[in-house]
Amino acid sequence: QLHTELENYFVKGVPPTSPILLPGRHEWPSGKMAASDVEHRFEFKLQGWPVAMVGVIDLVLSDQKRLIDHKTSSNPLEYGLNEMTARVDPQTICYSARALGIDGQRPLWGGDKARFELHYYATRGRPTFSKVEVDFSRAELEKKLGRIGAQVTQMRADALSPVEDVRYNDKACHDYRKRCPFADRCAKAGGPQQQKTPIGKMKKGAKDMGLLSGLIERRKKQQSNGVDK
């Protein structure tokens, strides 16, 4: 509903009425926008990737070389990305790469720079707005895409493997500072024994590109030790 209100404002000029959105109105572009620049849908796939990424860019500001993604969260400071985690997030990377045409399709603008912005609207308590910005170069994006491609390939292989051959990812056991609901079942199957509560205040993996990053790293170590499981 909130995304629809924003879309109607950008394309049709209908002002949003939700109090949740109003704190961020100073960031909204003035004037109506082309429908193609609002909720811009795309497919992104590089050579060698087994599957494509399908995405929707909330706002494309080609003249400013900016992409904007609207997010809602009960607690953006707790659950949202910051500049460090946004820089390694697959969405920010792939969306920015699509803007520069790194996938071989027509770029959304010229040049080798892209800015990705996350606009957070708090849905609990007093309505607040916050923004996270990340600037990317083409060279940085190409490097990060190589790592994402390796993960996509591994995920595809794991998806086609018998479940008993897919190892657990102990780096994700306490994502969002909560104990995995499958922890007991995982432990019975030979996975790690997890405590009822996280040790300390564990932050979301700033350097993890996805939930299978730990699995990939573990398999690399196994292969280097002559173990293939």
Side-chain angles (χ1 to χ4, degrees):
Q1 176 66 31
L2 297 178
H3 270 74
T4 300
E5 285 196 39
L6 288 171
E7 183 179 356
N8 287 336
Y9 173 71
F10 298 133
V11 177
K12 303 177 182 179
V14 180
T17 58
S18 171
I20 293 175
L21 297 174
L22 298 183
R25 60 185 179 272
H26 61 283
E27 290 284 348
W28 301 342
S30 58
K32 295 182 181 180
M33 299 181 60
S36 59
D37 291 334
V38 180
E39 298 291 309
H40 179 87
R41 301 178 183 275
F42 69 94
E43 285 194 10
F44 181 90
K45 183 179 181 181
L46 296 181
Q47 185 176 1
W49 284 27
V51 296
M53 174 186 181
V54 179
V56 180
I57 304 173
D58 290 341
L59 281 184
V60 177
L61 302 176
S62 301
D63 57 332
Q64 302 174 30
K65 300 184 178 182
R66 297 165 59 205
L67 302 177
I68 296 177
D69 191 59
H70 297 109
K71 301 285 190 183
T72 56
S73 173
S74 60
N75 189 337
L77 292 178
E78 179 78 11
Y79 301 118
L81 299 178
N82 54 44
E83 185 175 349
M84 181 175 63
T85 54
R87 185 166 292 281
V88 296
D89 182 73
Q91 181 193 23
T92 65
I93 294 168
C94 290
Y95 280 37
S96 300
R98 168 76 281 279
L100 297 184
I102 293 178
D103 57 347
Q105 300 185 64
R106 183 178 179 180
L108 301 182
W109 57 71
D112 296 317
K113 301 289 185 180
R115 169 171 290 184
F116 191 93
E117 299 181 14
L118 294 152
H119 289 191
Y120 283 102
Y121 297 87
T123 58
R124 183 178 297 173
R126 182 174 61 87
T128 60
F129 171 84
S130 57
K131 178 173 68 172
V132 176
E133 299 176 335
V134 184
D135 291 314
F136 288 110
S137 66
R138 180 181 296 271
E140 181 182 0
L141 289 170
E142 290 175 343
K143 182 178 180 180
K144 293 180 183 298
L145 286 168
R147 292 198 291 268
I148 294 177
Q151 285 189 307
V152 171
T153 300
Q154 185 65 62
M155 291 172 69
R156 174 66 172 173
D158 287 327
L160 299 176
S161 299
V163 65
E164 61 269 15
D165 290 342
V166 180
R167 294 297 300 267
Y168 56 83
N169 173 22
D170 55 8
K171 291 188 177 181
C173 296
H174 285 302
D175 274 2
Y176 300 103
R177 304 186 185 181
K178 295 180 179 179
R179 183 172 182 262
C180 174
F182 300 102
D184 293 334
R185 184 185 302 178
C186 182
K188 292 179 181 179
Q193 296 285 343
Q194 291 296 322
Q195 295 186 2
K196 295 296 182 181
T197 55
I199 299 174
K201 292 185 177 181
M202 300 180 68
K203 296 181 179 179
K204 290 183 294 180
K207 296 184 179 180
D208 287 350
M209 297 294 290
L211 293 180
L212 291 181
S213 58
L215 182 150
I216 296 171
E217 185 63 27
R218 185 181 298 276
R219 286 199 171 182
K220 288 180 180 179
K221 291 180 179 179
Q222 290 175 340
Q223 291 170 359
S224 65
N225 293 329
V227 178
D228 187 13
K229 294 184 178 180

